[in-house]
Amino acid sequence: MMKKTPIYHEQVQPLPDYPRLCGEQRFDVCVVGGGFTGLSAALELAKAGFRTALLEAAQLGSGASGRNGGQVLTGLAPAMVTVARQLGHAHAQMLWDLSVAAVATLRRGLAEADMADAFRPGFILAANRAVHRAELVEEYNYLTDRLGYEALELLLQPEQIAARLGTRRYVAGLVDHGSGHVNPLAYLNGLARAAEKAGVTVFEQSAACRFVHQPGGEKVNVYTDRGVVRADRLLLCGNAYQRHLATPMQAMIMPVGTYILATAPLPEALAAEILPSGVCVSDMNFVLDYFRMTPDRRMLFGGRVSYSGLPPVAVAHRLKRRMCAIFPALDGVPLTHCWGGKVAITRNRLPHIGRTPQGVYFAHGYSGHGLALSGFVGQVIAKAIAGDLTQFDCFARIDHRPFPGGGMMRAPLLALGALYYRLRDLL
Ligand SMILES: Cc1cc2nc3c(=O)[nH]c(=O)nc-3n(C[C@H](O)[C@H](O)[C@H](O)COP(=O)(O)OP(=O)(O)OC[C@H]3O[C@@H](n4cnc5c(N)ncnc54)[C@H](O)[C@@H]3O)c2cc1C
């Protein structure tokens, strides 16, 4: 029987259960959401001396942070050439530098938690078709010549990428030696332990269902079903899972389901044949496949999307078919887990980070590219709350537009748009 929970729960030491919020409590800052963004913000705030509460609707890591593909990537969801076209070179350069700092920060956090070995270096962006080759070359040239990034390697011959990936499915690839992969739940639990040690008060099973500003200011009362946090500042980090709290910024994101399949540990010889370079991989399709091998030699294969919020029928079967098209040798290997999670995408695929006129900070919409970035953004917002807005402004001045169609029509319209791109992937 295939399990529907992330394999990660069987690979890491669990966290303790945290209490539910009951009654009224007073803090300097209330953080909503116990994923990478919320936890790292809370950790930094506590280190800076703010009395900080974190409200989590379910358990820490039960959102995207504890169930993602584990790919720790530099950059943003769109190619940097696309970002530069949209925002200009100078802004793109700043965002790129912050994304590289995000990976370095994550690695430093792992090292401080004695988990430096958890990071496995190397990522390949794999070109499915000949038309992708020109895009790879353009991105390589922009990153190396204009953004000054030196950790890239371009593989333009099909046999070069076949040697790294153990499959002849791809025609070219861009290797980023600065990116890599990690067990995301191990990273999350490390953040949670550090936050607790720094003095953050964590409440689980405590969904914030509404918040009300105190008259004439930014002070706010945040209500759960059994209690209230009175705080000077509120930070919303519920991302695609932000239920109960209807806020205007939610029109800027679309929650999208994506799924991951895990095999049983592979025999050593088979694992050496598949992904011999040990890197993690994403392809260049709009609806992309992403995969990597875990240290215990399981293939984790991700892909498929659902815009309706419902899992597509027979998702495991379809993922298996895609996986075996790339690695035929995996046909017949037992499959042990298949789980899904929600990413929040924005229209321009850039994260939506800011502060409302009433002083509520928020961060969401990493568009499937938030493992490294979200934890870093949490720190950036904590610094902003403490008065340093430099990095915060770099994210906050990205222009965003709401999805068309309002609450009812957003998902069908996006599904239609995605169908167009999916058909284009097949051409
Ligand atoms: C299947 C999958 C694969 C992915 N793979 C990758 C990858 O390989 N690389 C990559 O870079 N990114 C990947 N991502 C994206 C990445 O995981 C996210 O960008 C990142 O985890 C976002 O972190 P977060 O803290 O902002 O949000 P989340 O981790 O989603 O956390 C939000 C939390 O807020 C809580 N919450 C919501 N509403 C409330 C409320 N009202 N009150 C209290 N709590 C609330 C939720 O329960 C949840 O725990 C993937 C995502 C998914 C789903």
Side-chain angles (χ1 to χ4, degrees), residues 276-298:
S277 56
V279 297
C280 59
V281 183
S282 286
D283 73 18
M284 292 179 71
N285 276 336
F286 180 77
V287 178
L288 50 83
D289 294 329
Y290 51 95
F291 48 91
R292 69 188 178 96
M293 195 88 80
T294 60
D296 64 351
R297 302 195 304 272
R298 291 169 186 271

Side-chain angles (χ1 to χ4, degrees), residues 77 105 124 126 129 135 139 166 173 204 206 235 238-240 251 287 381 398 418:
T105 303
I124 295 186
R129 290 168 289 131
E135 289 172 39
E139 183 73 351
E204 288 184 326
S206 302
L235 168 49
N239 205 30
V287 178
I381 296 184
I398 299 173

Side-chain angles (χ1 to χ4, degrees), residues 32-39 55-73 188 206-209 237-245 256 258-260 290 339-343 363-364 366-374:
V32 171
F36 299 137
T37 311
L39 274 170
L55 297 178
E56 164 52 48
Q59 295 87 35
L60 298 181
S62 54
S65 300
R67 49 182 60 247
N68 63 58
Q71 304 202 356
V72 180
L73 307 174
L188 182 118
S206 302
C209 45
C237 310
N239 205 30
Y241 290 81
Q242 196 153 293
R243 295 154 296 181
H244 315 296
L245 285 178
V256 173
T258 162
Y259 303 88
I260 299 179
Y290 51 95
W339 70 92
K342 285 191 273 183
V343 296
H364 58 182
Y366 305 97
S367 303
H369 199 104
L371 204 173
L373 207 56
S374 54

Side-chain angles (χ1 to χ4, degrees), residues 44-131:
E44 286 309 301
L45 286 161
K47 280 195 204 161
F50 292 91
R51 284 171 305 148
T52 305
L54 187 145
L55 297 178
E56 164 52 48
Q59 295 87 35
L60 298 181
S62 54
S65 300
R67 49 182 60 247
N68 63 58
Q71 304 202 356
V72 180
L73 307 174
T74 57
L76 303 156
M80 288 311 295
V81 285
T82 311
V83 177
R85 261 180 224 125
Q86 193 187 330
L87 305 178
H89 170 69
H91 197 174
Q93 175 86 64
M94 282 186 247
L95 288 167
W96 171 259
D97 291 345
L98 291 175
S99 84
V100 174
V103 174
T105 303
L106 181 146
R107 294 190 67 174
R108 206 166 39 246
L110 288 177
E112 281 165 12
D114 276 338
M115 294 193 294
D117 290 352
F119 181 84
R120 309 243 155 166
F123 163 71
I124 295 186
L125 181 61
N128 306 68
R129 290 168 289 131
V131 288

Side-chain angles (χ1 to χ4, degrees), residues 2 259-261 301 304 312-325 331 335 337-338:
M2 217 183 303
Y259 303 88
I260 299 179
L261 188 65
F301 189 91
R304 304 290 314 158
V313 186
V315 65
H317 175 71
R318 290 191 192 172
L319 279 174
K320 181 188 169 192
R321 212 169 51 203
R322 293 183 78 83
M323 179 177 79
C324 292
D331 203 6
L335 306 172
H337 299 67
C338 183

